[in-house]
Amino acid sequence: MAPSEKSERFVSLLTEHQNRIYGYVYSLLGDHSRASDVVQEVNLTLWRKIDEFEDDRPFLPWAFGVARFQVLAHLRDRKRDRLLLDAELAESLSGQLEKSATQIDSVRVALRGCLQELSPSNRQLIEERYFKALPVEQVAQTSDRTVGAIKVALLRIRRQLAQCVQKRSAMEGLA
Amino acid sequence: MNDSLRDELESLLFDWDAGTLGDAGIDRVREILRSDESARAAYLQHQLLNAAMGLDASSRLDADSGTISQVSEPELDLAKQNIPSALPSDHFFRVSLWAVAATTLLFCGLLGRLAYLEFSDSDTVAATEAIEEVTSSGVALVTQLVDVEFEPDQVSLDVGDALMPGPIAIKSGFAQIEFFCGATLIVEGPAEIDLKSSVLASVTSGKFRAQVPPAARGFSIEVDDMKVVDLGTEFGLAVTENGADIQVFDGEIEVHSPQSDKRLLTTGQAIVRNSVGEFSTGKITPDRFVDIASMESRADGQQTQRYEAWKTLSNRLSRDPRVVAYYSFDEQGAWDRKLHSSVRPDNDELDGAIVGAGKVNGRWPAKSGLEFKRPGDRVRVRIPGEFDSLTFACWVKIDSLDRWYNSLFLTDNYNEGEPHWQILDTGQLFFSVRHKPDDLNGQPIKGPTHQEVLSPPFWKPSMSGRWLHLATTYDADAGKTTHYLNGERIHEETIADQLVVRETRIGAASIGNWSIPTKPDAEFAVRNLNGSMDEFMILSDALSENEIREIYESGKP
């Protein structure tokens, strides 16, 4: 491949798989801000290693490999910070995650349909907490309920959503 | 996994997301995940759902209303029709608007930044957007500050700042505030004022002079339960705990108060209202209230003073033996397309060659600067010698950050020991020194070749057109890089041992651009700065925080 063709191909693959890489990294870190930082590092690392990139080799496993390494490095470097997983757990989850992170786009599609199935007030709770990222206290305040009650409600709606997403994305898989 | 374990895990993860999970909770999550395979699957499902919602959050939030937009993207329209099973999902996402836009961006050389911008934590994104929205949608602007001292609990303001509704407390000095309705208010400290909207302010103390052109008629100031409505005029208002003194210098105002009927005051009239709300006739004393013209001349005086203070410092710096290169952009005489070196004793060798960049005003009208605009604009310099520690500092006015890399100072290549100093389009200050030999002509080097030290994003569009002082120190002994903005340390990072460069060098380099002769077609070779610079220096030492602050304090416009 000519260099420009190669970087064109590389960029289109990186773009195509960006959400999957994000899903992968986020799942191991459980924090949007950290995940964004690490995804950025992953992108730069991949870009620097463009020479290792071969068109006939599957892109995603290579990208996941780099992502896994960056996440582990992050977990090791930030030991003093509060992190949800340790390196050992992240390592053990990464195999399963490589499979599920490829599903993130169908999860997103399914999620949109599932949100429509919720009652307006439940949808509003989810939107406030997870899309607008409002603190639980604030969600509680605006809906005039206690923090405890909101937590119970959100856990219930989340479970409903998760089941719906699972069903819908499975349906999609069959289509 | 049994139900109670699942409930427990979900509850713990909820708390983690909310930021309320303690160390014991974290340990418990790990314990559950280690012990139970189906718990691990449930964990991944939870996180993937979070990730999916996080990914959609930034693209779906409608910035104006703060509600979730359902119509802006075709993919959302499709989803709304409840036919996800009909979607060829993979292809579908490949052609999503986002992906198309992203691909275009990437080709403009924005790779990597993308993820930062696209996936920033939704909290942060929301917060940043709120701040941006705030600064661009305030109710008034600070247009002049003379000898102002702010009250300790007041965030100090700069000329050009947009003001949001809220209180301002000035201990002494004068501030000129222009309300978006068109009214200009000169505030003399000590004063406390609370901006309510672009047409209304409430004051508790201080001396004020309002100038209200016809377009801003209706601008009002509240004092306690009294309201002064301006009908197109110029008036003065002095408020103390003993009452308020209102004087009309020109035009007409209305005074509303619950104790009496509406009063109309015209040119030359004055009233005094005491602390219990009784009115009496007052005297007209316009000289007690500083007007816009004398504000201007006071400001000019202050500018001259500041310019002189900077010159004193500049003279001292030009003789500082640690200075390797110094361009004050203030050398007298014709420029003849040279940027004269300010290092004393004189050394012509250090003169820079101006390419493209045009002469503009610097921080003060009496001082020059250079504007970098077009992709070719730059100043070429050649700086001989070998150093260990380094300090880079400059005064720069950034118009916008258009490029992936926006150059401040880059050596021509990127060889061993050479520093690169630039700003990323995310508004992060970037500094690195190449550790490994150049690999452009040889085998690619395995492993990192340098450590990039990035500050947190410091730039926001509301800073556009404002003079900023940027400095970065590289301490070769301690292996540390520190970034400064306006005299304040914004980031410090220790360089990994194996990447610390003990011997630095510069050679051929450019200010405000990158001249990389070996890679003429490199995608990100365009690194020109979009803005102006009016002082630039390199020192062969890592200056202390105090020294950087002194350079800022003596040089601020």
Side-chain angles (χ1 to χ4, degrees), chain B residues 287-304:
Chain B
D287 296 346
R288 278 182 59 212
F289 299 90
V290 169
D291 62 11
I292 293 178
S294 61
M295 191 74 184
E296 289 286 336
S297 72
R298 276 167 198 257
D300 285 349
Q302 179 173 290
Q303 280 196 341
T304 315

Side-chain angles (χ1 to χ4, degrees), chain B residues 13-14 98 100 105 135 184 221 235 237 261 295 318 345 374 377 382 404-405 408 442 510 512 533 554:
Chain B
L13 290 176
F14 182 93
W98 181 81
V100 172
L105 282 178
T135 33
T184 301
I221 297 184
F235 71 95
L237 172 66
D261 294 339
M295 191 74 184
S318 64
R374 292 157 298 181
D377 291 354
R382 185 175 294 277
W404 179 10
Y405 290 104
L408 291 169
S510 293
M533 203 181 278
S554 313

Side-chain angles (χ1 to χ4, degrees), chain A residues 7-8 10-11 14-16 18-20 22-23 26-33 36-37 39-40 43-44 47-48 51-52 82-86 88-89 92-93 96-97 100-101 104-109 111-113 115-116 126-127 129-133 136 151 154-155 158-159 161-162 165-166 168 171-172 175, chain B residues 6-7 10-11 13-18 21-23 26 29-30 33-34 40 43-57 59-61 66-68 70 75-76 79 82 84-85 87 89-90 92-94 98-99 102-103 106-107 111-113 115-116 119-123 404 428 444 452 523-524:
Chain A
S7 48
E8 197 171 327
F10 173 87
V11 167
L14 185 62
T15 312
E16 183 188 327
Q18 199 60 198
N19 293 344
R20 301 187 176 117
Y22 185 80
Y26 175 84
S27 297
L28 294 176
L29 295 172
D31 180 294
H32 288 298
S33 157
S36 315
D37 287 354
V39 168
Q40 188 185 1
N43 285 339
L44 285 172
W47 177 249
R48 286 199 199 98
D51 289 339
E52 292 176 19
R82 264 164 33 89
L83 293 157
L84 188 54
L85 301 185
D86 55 23
E88 191 197 332
L89 265 173
S92 76
L93 282 165
Q96 173 60 30
L97 185 53
S100 43
I104 184 115
D105 286 335
S106 50
V107 169
R108 291 177 72 195
V109 173
L111 180 64
R112 289 187 192 122
L115 280 170
Q116 299 301 320
I126 289 284
E127 286 178 348
R129 177 69 192 100
Y130 293 100
F131 288 84
K132 294 189 205 164
V136 183
K151 179 173 171 178
L154 276 171
L155 281 174
R158 272 197 72 122
R159 193 175 288 178
L161 266 184
V165 164
Q166 205 166 23
R168 275 182 182 257
M171 261 163 56
E172 236 194 307
Chain B
R6 186 183 66 166
D7 289 350
E10 284 176 358
S11 166
L13 290 176
F14 182 93
D15 290 345
W16 166 259
D17 292 339
L21 190 67
D23 289 343
I26 291 176
V29 170
R30 293 178 180 176
L33 293 183
R34 268 190 248 285
R40 289 196 285 276
Y43 169 87
L44 290 179
Q45 192 187 42
H46 175 97
Q47 298 297 36
L48 228 48
L49 194 60
N50 273 6
M53 293 194 281
L55 281 171
D56 280 353
S59 60
R60 295 181 72 200
L61 270 182
T67 57
I68 290 178
Q70 297 272 350
E75 40 179 335
L76 291 172
N82 267 350
S85 55
L87 295 174
S89 67
D90 239 351
F92 174 62
F93 273 91
R94 212 169 293 152
W98 181 81
T103 314
L106 286 170
F107 273 104
L111 178 105
R113 312 266 66 78
Y116 194 91
F119 302 129
S120 291
D121 171 25
S122 43
D123 271 323
W404 179 10
Q428 296 170 281
E452 297 162 357
E523 278 180 44
F524 37 88

Side-chain angles (χ1 to χ4, degrees), chain B residues 16-220:
Chain B
W16 166 259
D17 292 339
T20 54
L21 190 67
D23 289 343
I26 291 176
D27 288 342
R28 179 65 187 145
V29 170
R30 293 178 180 176
E31 200 181 348
I32 294 175
L33 293 183
R34 268 190 248 285
S35 66
D36 193 310
E37 198 190 327
S38 58
R40 289 196 285 276
Y43 169 87
L44 290 179
Q45 192 187 42
H46 175 97
Q47 298 297 36
L48 228 48
L49 194 60
N50 273 6
M53 293 194 281
L55 281 171
D56 280 353
S58 50
S59 60
R60 295 181 72 200
L61 270 182
D62 178 351
D64 286 327
S65 59
T67 57
I68 290 178
S69 144
Q70 297 272 350
V71 290
S72 57
E73 286 176 84
E75 40 179 335
L76 291 172
D77 281 346
L78 288 169
K80 231 174 142 184
Q81 294 164 24
N82 267 350
I83 46 161
S85 55
L87 295 174
S89 67
D90 239 351
H91 171 70
F92 174 62
F93 273 91
R94 212 169 293 152
V95 297
S96 81
L97 281 186
W98 181 81
V100 172
T103 314
T104 321
L105 282 178
L106 286 170
F107 273 104
C108 299
L110 284 165
L111 178 105
R113 312 266 66 78
L114 176 78
Y116 194 91
L117 299 170
E118 279 295 326
F119 302 129
S120 291
D121 171 25
S122 43
D123 271 323
T124 328
V125 167
T128 320
E129 275 174 3
I131 292 163
E132 287 312 324
E133 194 63 19
V134 163
T135 33
S136 53
S137 76
V139 296
L141 283 175
V142 180
T143 50
Q144 202 75 265
L145 293 171
V146 178
D147 304 326
V148 165
E149 213 185 317
F150 293 98
E151 290 288 355
D153 55 347
Q154 167 74 44
V155 180
S156 58
L157 302 169
D158 280 323
V159 170
D161 276 347
L163 297 172
M164 289 309 297
I168 298 171
I170 298 175
K171 205 169 175 181
S172 63
F174 301 87
Q176 182 175 322
I177 296 171
E178 289 179 8
F179 286 79
F180 284 177
C181 70
T184 301
L185 191 67
I186 291 173
V187 182
E188 181 178 347
E192 273 181 58
I193 175 167
D194 190 358
L195 308 187
K196 299 286 191 192
S197 73
S198 66
V199 294
L200 177 67
S202 159
V203 305
T204 36
S205 67
K207 269 200 284 183
F208 306 87
R209 185 178 187 125
Q211 196 182 58
V212 183
R217 269 179 206 147
F219 173 75
S220 311

